Amino acid sequence: MAEEAIRVEALVIGAGPGGYVAGIRLGQLKKRALVVERDKPGGICLNVGCIPSKALINASKYYDKFRHGADIGILADNIRVDMAKLQSWKGEVVHKLTSGVRQLLKSNGCDYRTGVARLTSRNTVELTEKDGKITIQADNIVLATGSRPIEIPGFNFGGAGDFIVDSTGALEFTAVPERLLVVGGGYIGIEIGTLYAKLGSKVTVVEALPAILPGTDPELAQVVARKLKKIGVEVMTGAKARSWTEKGGKAAVTLELAGGQEAILEVDKVLVSVGRRPNSEGLGLEEVGVKIERGFVPTDKRMRTNVPGIYAIGDLAGQPMLAHKASHEAEVVAEIIAGHKSEMDVRAIPAVIFSDPEISSVGITAEEAEKKGHKARVGKFPFVALGRAIANADTDGFVKVVIDADSHEVLGIHVVGNGASDIIAEAALAIEMGALADDISLTIHAHPTLPEAIMEAAKASLGEAIHIQNR
Ligand code: NAI
């Protein structure tokens, strides 16, 4: 087929929560923009990450709640999991959202094409499509190619028997594995491990560090660790998976335990979730002089790389590798390209772990605050003292509000408890607006709701909590 050439003001490579949002915003700003994607629109998040995992996590919660319904007077017999139906429903959820992405791009005037992009100069990209190559001339190029799971030696994904899977594979199981080994007790390992434990798997998590969810306030992570034990998940810390072989239809995995001794575990599936690495290879970046550091493409606050006209956003541009960070950077980059005075200027980025109970966090911890020279004060409020949480029959966890003792400025809010994912929005707004603990305390919170725990914790930081003893 004859080579085609097109010209745009902005080309976005990748259609995840970074790339597609950049495309929409560029369209809104009347820039002639094109988003290209080698796979399906929506990226990891919509297709095989955030969204499908939340669908399955939600279903596993329902199942678990029904099984324990007798505790609150709901009796049901013979509850089972129909994995085929569950997976097809999950597929519908994903389809609804990914088809929405194309629609949104179109209605905002941004073009979309499927193909593999490679930079051939600082403003030309070769796009290999199903039936040929085209050349795209772009005044600006936005790199939004995301990240992929890290493999560990000896545990290659896929392969015979499909024993070793990444998060994508683990979200596509057609049957609940009898025994599941999770290597890596981070975000993904804990979320997916918990989901299958609730659906009936016997789950073991091996984590190389001394505790699960490293990087999370240990007081919060401990609540999750206790619950994991309660639902029958075995957590081995200070342990690593060394090698594996197939044995009688199972994977026999050799583990190196904390004391240095070895153990062999026979399982049906092994989920390797030891982190993700940015997709910076194969794009022609080195050839056109884009700087790459440990796989990431460094940028300034305007998302500019070292090469004029080339920008990077999302996982590729660095930590935290979170969809909502990517989307925010996407809006910034579109505005920069449109000539606005925009920049990535945020006080804090919220993070959520969809564990049981959920963890959410925004801003800094008391220890970090002290290191930064603040006199930190902490107000805590447990869900066991909150009407709504008691009525929900879900009282594990607490809210912790960290403030500057002198100014009362809110520095961080950390939540462990089911519902944490929703109530963190208020906390992020408070920090972004430079709120004082007094502002949260004086804001009337509807009763009976979970966000009242944030209000009470803010009051507690001032020594004025109503529903617990002040210290
Ligand atoms: P992670 O960095 O959260 O956790 C990886 C864990 O594996 C760490 O605890 C690490 O100590 C451990 N580890 C590393 N090598 C090991 C080995 N050989 N044996 C045993 N343990 C080992 O990475 P994860 O869970 O793969 O997630 C990747 C990223 O995806 C996260 O950092 C997060 O940014 C993003 N994500 C976000 C979610 C959310 O926002 N709710 C959900 C899932 C992922």
Side-chain angles (χ1 to χ4, degrees):
M1 206 178 138
E3 261 205 15
E4 197 188 328
I6 50 178
R7 202 188 150 78
V8 293
E9 288 175 287
L11 171 71
V12 182
I13 305 178
Y20 85 74
V21 171
I24 290 171
R25 191 76 187 113
L26 283 161
Q28 287 173 352
L29 294 165
K30 305 288 172 236
K31 290 276 128 187
R32 196 156 13 92
L34 166 65
V35 174
V36 297
E37 164 64 53
R38 64 182 172 189
D39 212 323
K40 291 186 198 139
I44 298 291
C45 178
L46 269 60
N47 287 286
V48 291
C50 328
I51 296 299
S53 68
K54 260 81 266 176
L56 295 187
I57 287 169
N58 195 38
S60 76
K61 272 189 193 166
Y62 273 125
Y63 181 65
D64 191 54
K65 283 211 187 299
F66 283 134
R67 282 199 317 166
H68 297 101
D71 299 349
I72 60 165
I74 305 291
L75 304 179
D77 295 323
N78 203 20
I79 299 176
R80 286 149 303 148
V81 177
D82 177 349
M83 201 61 185
K85 175 63 192 167
L86 182 46
Q87 287 292 12
S88 79
W89 168 72
K90 181 203 80 182
E92 285 166 30
V93 171
V94 168
H95 179 73
K96 208 169 273 174
L97 285 163
T98 53
S99 52
V101 168
R102 270 181 193 266
Q103 274 306 321
L104 282 168
L105 284 167
K106 199 169 165 200
S107 60
N108 282 286
C110 180
D111 287 331
Y112 179 85
R113 297 181 81 120
T114 304
V116 179
R118 186 182 168 83
L119 275 69
T120 47
S121 83
R122 292 177 172 205
N123 51 17
T124 47
V125 167
E126 180 189 82
L127 188 72
T128 308
E129 302 189 304
K130 209 168 68 203
D131 44 13
K133 287 182 196 244
I134 63 165
T135 301
I136 301 162
Q137 291 280 343
D139 303 337
N140 299 280
I141 295 173
V142 179
L143 307 168
T145 52
S147 64
R148 63 181 187 284
I150 295 175
E151 281 186 322
I152 49 175
F155 289 79
N156 298 334
F157 299 129
D162 247 346
F163 288 110
I164 315 297
V165 296
D166 59 6
S167 53
T168 301
L171 295 174
E172 279 165 3
F173 290 159
T174 50
V176 176
E178 218 169 283
R179 290 208 60 130
L180 171 67
L181 173 66
V182 175
V183 183
Y187 273 58
I188 294 179
I190 296 305
E191 289 187 7
I192 297 182
T194 304
L195 122 73
Y196 281 110
K198 286 188 177 170
L199 292 182
S201 300
K202 171 75 192 120
V203 178
T204 303
V205 176
V206 294
E207 163 58 49
L209 295 175
I212 57 161
L213 300 174
T216 307
D217 180 338
E219 208 188 341
L220 274 67
Q222 249 172 38
V223 177
V224 173
R226 273 202 299 272
K227 184 69 185 273
L228 283 169
K229 199 168 176 188
K230 201 168 155 194
I231 62 173
V233 174
E234 185 182 14
V235 176
M236 298 175 166
T237 52
K240 281 185 172 178
R242 282 284 172 226
S243 59
W244 74 282
T245 52
E246 189 176 346
K247 192 177 157 200
K250 302 247 178 204
V253 185
T254 304
L255 305 175
E256 185 188 318
L257 305 181
Q261 70 275 42
E262 282 194 349
I264 293 178
L265 204 63
E266 287 185 18
V267 297
D268 302 283
K269 295 282 180 190
V270 180
L271 163 63
V272 178
S273 48
V274 295
R276 302 182 60 87
R277 80 167 92 237
N279 290 327
S280 50
E281 303 92 349
L283 282 165
L285 298 185
E286 293 91 343
E287 290 86 334
V288 301
V290 174
K291 199 158 124 194
I292 299 175
E293 277 174 10
R294 283 174 289 113
F296 293 100
V297 175
T299 70
D300 64 6
K301 285 184 154 199
R302 296 184 176 160
M303 312 322 299
R304 297 181 296 197
T305 68
N306 62 313
V307 175
I310 301 184
Y311 304 80
I313 59 172
D315 288 5
L316 179 71
Q319 300 284 357
M321 293 190 179
L322 298 172
H324 43 279
K325 181 212 111 184
S327 298
H328 191 83
E329 290 175 342
E331 293 185 56
V332 170
V333 84
E335 285 164 15
I336 293 291
I337 290 172
H340 295 205
K341 281 203 177 94
S342 195
E343 64 175 28
M344 187 65 183
D345 174 24
V346 296
R347 287 184 169 215
I349 299 171
V352 176
I353 308 172
F354 294 84
S355 44
D356 184 6
E358 294 174 348
I359 286 181
S360 63
S361 177
V362 61
I364 54 178
T365 62
E367 294 70 37
E368 286 163 342
E370 294 280 348
K371 271 189 211 144
K372 287 192 166 183
H374 292 278
K375 203 168 112 210
R377 203 194 291 158
V378 174
K380 238 174 111 174
F381 189 82
F383 284 108
V384 74
L386 192 74
R388 179 59 186 273
I390 298 170
N392 282 353
D394 208 338
T395 53
D396 285 344
F398 55 85
V399 173
K400 214 178 187 182
V401 170
V402 180
I403 67 167
D404 180 283
D406 298 322
S407 68
H408 293 185
E409 186 187 347
V410 179
L411 303 173
I413 298 186
H414 312 279
V415 187
V416 57
N418 281 323
S421 56
D422 289 322
I423 74 176
I424 203 65
E426 172 186 4
L429 183 66
I431 291 179
E432 203 54 53
M433 295 192 72
L436 307 183
D438 312 68
D439 295 315
I440 299 179
S441 169
L442 290 169
T443 300
I444 297 181
H445 284 62
H447 178 71
T449 62
L450 296 176
E452 286 178 283
I454 296 211
M455 176 182 71
E456 284 276 10
K459 287 184 192 290
S461 73
L462 302 170
E464 298 169 355
I466 299 297
H467 292 93
I468 46 158
Q469 191 71 43
N470 289 289
R471 285 196 218 152

